[in-house]
Amino acid sequence: MSEPLTLDIKDLRLAFKNWSGTTEVLHGIDLKIAQSERVALVGESGSGKSVTSRIVLGTMQDVRTARVTGQVAFEGTDLSALTSSDRRALRGRDISMIFQDPSSALNPVFRIGELFQEVLKRRDPKVTKAEARKRAAKILHEVSIEDPDRVLDSYSFQLSGGMNQRVMIAMALINKPRLLLADEPGTALDVTVQAQTLTLMRDLVEQQGTSVLFISHNLGVVREFADRIYVIYQGRIVEHGATKALFDAPKHPYTRALLSAIPRLTGGGVPDIAERSPDFDAPFIDHAEVR
Amino acid sequence: MPEPILSLQAVTKEFRVGKSTVTAVDNVTLDVAEGECLAIVGESGSGKSTIANMILGLFPATKGQISYQGNELPAKRTLEHRSQIQLVQQNPLSALNPRRSVGASLRLALDVHNHGTPSERPAMVAALLEEVGLDPALASRAPSGMSGGQRQRIAIARALACQSRIVVLDEPTSALDVLVQARVLRLLNELRAKRNLTYLFITHDLSVVRNIADRVAVFQRGKLVELAATEALFENPTNSYTRTLISAVPVVSQPEIALRDKLAAGAT
């Protein structure tokens, strides 16, 4: 391959040290994201999807009890070879993140305009106030915010959840990051607003050529967004494939259960599926036609 | 239609915000039949939780009246009213006392509502746990030592402990994983059939509504904009807002995509 993958995770393991020894929560994750590719990581709570994103973001490595092994390479550089401050420099500049609940992710004591300036300083420490405001207004306009000036002068608690979500998306993308981590974006919002923000996010990352790691527990949400999907169950990837292949012919018992557990808009009653099954521990299945 | 168990007559709720007045619920008239599951859907701010709170008696209506089994409910509810109309909230972790074992939480409901004699109550707690599909041995656990699905089952058991007739379910499964959600929804269905319960199911997840509700009430900015049997609502919604809501649902299968596209074509 000519240029390095945006993200290349190999045999990633994470364990937490506790009073009785160590507990391993990720048992060797392999995951790849090419440039401007949108990849989803889908699994239930406790499956390890959020900690994976924290490792990519480089914050998990600073947790005292966490033991991270394996390789996480961002554009060819192994994150573990970097110092803590080098990893910090990547955050908000080349790797950015969108959180689940926009209202609690934005600092309530600063105006949105001031937050944007902080973010822009990560890329260009000498950015002026006027310049920052101009660029912030422009990107807010791109996420369909009608009057950016009012928003920039507001505090996050003065805006609706949908508005805050758009501000988050704009803020995460204003520095044109190489990789965007989206942890359940919009699950705290109404369905109509969620659908809207996902479309906005897709348009913007397409335009900027950003790679995305989209984390979700709902296969329905990622269907229209992702090119490829990894399904994670209890710290292991159990199935991987192109979105269409995975939806058309899910092969792993866990993926099948996940898919059939979603109540259908066309009716048919609540599906009868076990919460746990020994079948879910079946080995990893890769849809071969992917690569 | 037989005598409705719950009836809302021209109910309006206004809140004073500073010097202006916000109408959260605007002239809503609605009958709920005994044993039915009525879904209340709408976006945030549509007034669906305000309606639930008025039915529960947490605050009175500004205008209009709410009747239970043909009698108007007083602003200050008696213990009997409170035990017959119960609530299950979205987040069981904040609804259950973290310092109390779940068995003690259930026991407290029995004590407050004075069901059974004190010597019978431990057995009643065990029976409730079994009824919601949990091991009675879990009674000594704290809520923090349980999974999300188990906690929500406890919250349901507590609502049942009061011999409730109507259960207001406020987004009971939206914080749960899909596999767990399916189990809890099935449990709710079983309990309703067994105990002839009436559900007011508040949610914004229309794919859940399709599979659990008998009728659907759609709210927009405090107004009831559409009320129809579930089948009819999904096959042919008359209101454009309802169409918009349905077409925004994330779906996974081909028939669903076809239905959604059909409805979206009719929405403006």
Side-chain angles (χ1 to χ4, degrees):
Chain A
M1 223 176 276
S2 53
E3 53 189 299
L5 293 162
T6 302
L7 187 68
D8 190 2
I9 300 180
K10 279 197 192 112
D11 194 36
L12 176 66
R13 286 164 194 274
L14 169 68
F16 287 106
K17 233 181 116 170
N18 55 21
W19 54 270
S20 62
T22 55
T23 313
E24 198 175 66
V25 292
L26 291 178
H27 315 283
I29 302 279
D30 292 284
L31 187 148
K32 287 180 173 55
I33 305 179
Q35 205 195 327
S36 56
E37 201 183 15
R38 297 187 298 261
V39 172
L41 182 61
V42 179
E44 62 193 3
S45 54
S47 60
K49 56 192 194 308
S50 291
V51 288
T52 305
S53 75
R54 294 297 149 99
I55 291 171
V56 176
L57 199 61
T59 53
M60 193 52 91
Q61 287 85 335
D62 299 336
V63 174
R64 276 226 320 268
T65 54
R67 298 286 175 272
V68 181
T69 57
Q71 178 203 297
V72 182
F74 172 69
E75 303 204 312
T77 324
D78 192 343
L79 286 183
S80 61
L82 298 175
T83 62
S84 182
S85 62
D86 283 344
R87 281 199 298 267
R88 182 164 193 271
L90 282 178
R91 288 202 286 274
R93 204 182 67 190
D94 296 316
I95 304 177
S96 65
M97 183 149 183
I98 295 176
F99 296 92
Q100 186 177 138
D101 182 0
S103 308
S104 62
L106 295 168
N107 192 332
V109 302
F110 295 108
R111 293 173 201 274
I112 302 295
E114 294 167 315
L115 293 175
F116 264 108
Q117 200 186 345
E118 278 309 300
V119 174
L120 281 164
K121 274 186 184 164
R122 314 252 341 145
R123 174 75 79 191
D124 175 11
K126 287 198 284 284
V127 72
T128 63
K129 211 169 170 183
E131 168 74 8
R133 195 174 170 94
K134 213 178 88 193
R135 287 182 58 191
K138 183 168 170 283
I139 199 157
L140 284 179
H141 192 74
E142 281 172 44
V143 291
S144 305
I145 287 181
E146 308 272 311
D147 48 350
D149 282 317
R150 182 183 72 88
V151 172
L152 287 171
D153 288 331
S154 305
Y155 294 97
S156 62
F157 54 83
Q158 294 171 317
L159 302 172
S160 70
M163 208 65 129
N164 276 331
Q165 183 75 68
R166 289 181 203 190
V167 168
M168 278 274 292
I169 293 173
M171 214 174 269
L173 291 169
I174 195 165
N175 278 334
K176 299 206 176 359
R178 310 297 308 141
L179 176 66
L180 175 70
L181 306 169
D183 193 349
E184 310 241 4
T187 28
L189 304 173
D190 286 324
V191 273
T192 45
V193 184
Q194 187 185 19
Q196 224 172 28
T197 51
L198 287 182
T199 316
L200 282 173
M201 195 166 100
R202 191 174 53 192
D203 292 350
L204 216 53
V205 295
E206 234 162 48
Q207 202 182 311
Q208 297 192 348
T210 310
S211 310
V212 184
L213 178 62
F214 188 111
I215 290 165
S216 180
H217 70 278
N218 190 337
L219 275 165
V221 177
V222 303
R223 191 183 61 90
E224 285 174 57
F225 188 86
D227 303 321
R228 281 189 296 127
I229 297 176
Y230 288 90
V231 180
I232 184 169
Y233 175 67
Q234 298 199 339
R236 284 188 181 83
I237 303 282
V238 294
E239 188 162 0
H240 163 238
T243 305
K244 190 170 177 341
L246 201 115
F247 273 93
D248 287 350
K251 288 183 183 146
H252 196 279
Y254 179 68
T255 314
R256 287 188 187 171
L258 263 190
L259 263 177
S260 44
I262 300 170
R264 297 294 193 259
L265 201 54
T266 40
V270 182
D272 184 8
I273 290 170
E275 249 174 70
R276 287 277 173 271
S277 156
D279 294 347
F280 294 171
D281 296 324
F284 172 61
I285 296 171
D286 200 352
H287 288 251
E289 64 277 15
V290 172
R291 242 163 267 141
Chain B
M1 192 163 155
E3 172 87 345
I5 188 166
L6 189 77
S7 172
L8 276 68
Q9 277 297 322
V11 171
T12 296
K13 179 71 191 177
E14 290 168 349
F15 289 108
R16 295 285 293 276
V17 180
K19 281 183 181 138
S20 59
T21 315
V22 175
T23 309
V25 173
D26 193 356
N27 197 17
V28 170
T29 298
L30 186 66
D31 282 344
V32 187
E34 176 146 32
E36 85 168 326
C37 176
L38 175 71
I40 296 180
V41 303
E43 289 181 88
S44 50
S46 61
K48 50 192 203 300
S49 293
T50 310
I51 290 199
N53 289 344
M54 285 190 291
I55 291 169
L56 289 160
L58 298 181
F59 45 67
T62 312
K63 276 181 242 152
Q65 67 173 40
I66 302 173
S67 323
Y68 174 73
Q69 291 178 334
N71 304 315
E72 187 175 350
L73 285 168
K76 187 156 172 36
R77 303 287 166 84
T78 62
L79 185 64
E80 194 189 342
H81 289 138
R82 278 186 275 138
S83 69
Q84 284 174 346
I85 307 177
Q86 279 288 318
L87 171 71
V88 175
Q89 281 160 297
Q90 177 175 11
N91 185 354
L93 196 56
S94 60
L96 297 167
N97 186 337
R99 304 289 303 270
R100 196 174 265 150
S101 73
V102 296
S105 280
L106 294 177
R107 170 69 192 250
L108 186 67
L110 295 172
D111 289 343
V112 167
H113 294 278
N114 206 11
H115 290 299
T117 61
S119 58
E120 288 168 1
R121 286 175 192 158
M124 289 169 81
V125 167
L128 280 166
L129 284 168
E130 261 176 17
E131 196 172 352
V132 295
L134 293 176
D135 184 350
L138 289 175
S140 58
R141 294 258 191 107
S144 57
M146 306 183 106
S147 69
Q150 286 175 328
R151 283 177 207 143
Q152 197 56 283
R153 284 165 193 264
I154 296 290
I156 293 167
R158 188 173 58 176
L160 298 180
C162 311
Q163 307 288 328
S164 52
R165 303 303 316 141
I166 299 177
V167 184
V168 177
L169 301 153
D170 193 353
E171 303 267 11
T173 59
S174 58
L176 304 175
D177 289 316
V178 281
L179 287 170
V180 182
Q181 166 176 283
R183 299 313 310 173
V184 172
L185 289 175
R186 288 188 74 84
L187 170 72
L188 287 170
N189 271 342
E190 282 163 26
L191 292 171
R192 177 160 74 105
K194 200 173 100 191
R195 290 182 169 236
N196 192 27
L197 295 169
T198 307
Y199 286 164
L200 288 172
F201 199 103
I202 300 172
T203 184
H204 64 259
D205 189 342
L206 280 143
S207 46
V208 169
V209 168
R210 173 76 198 237
N211 293 290
I212 194 162
D214 300 317
R215 286 195 305 154
V216 187
V218 183
F219 283 85
Q220 184 185 20
R221 291 187 199 143
K223 287 197 171 70
L224 178 61
V225 293
E226 185 157 10
L227 176 65
T230 308
E231 285 292 298
L233 185 101
F234 279 85
E235 291 309 325
N236 193 16
T238 55
N239 187 283
S240 69
Y241 177 68
T242 312
R243 281 174 190 269
T244 313
L245 273 185
I246 298 176
S247 52
V249 178
V251 294
V252 291
S253 69
Q254 283 306 324
E256 287 181 292
I257 295 164
L259 172 75
R260 204 177 68 163
D261 290 349
K262 193 187 94 184
L263 294 177
T268 43

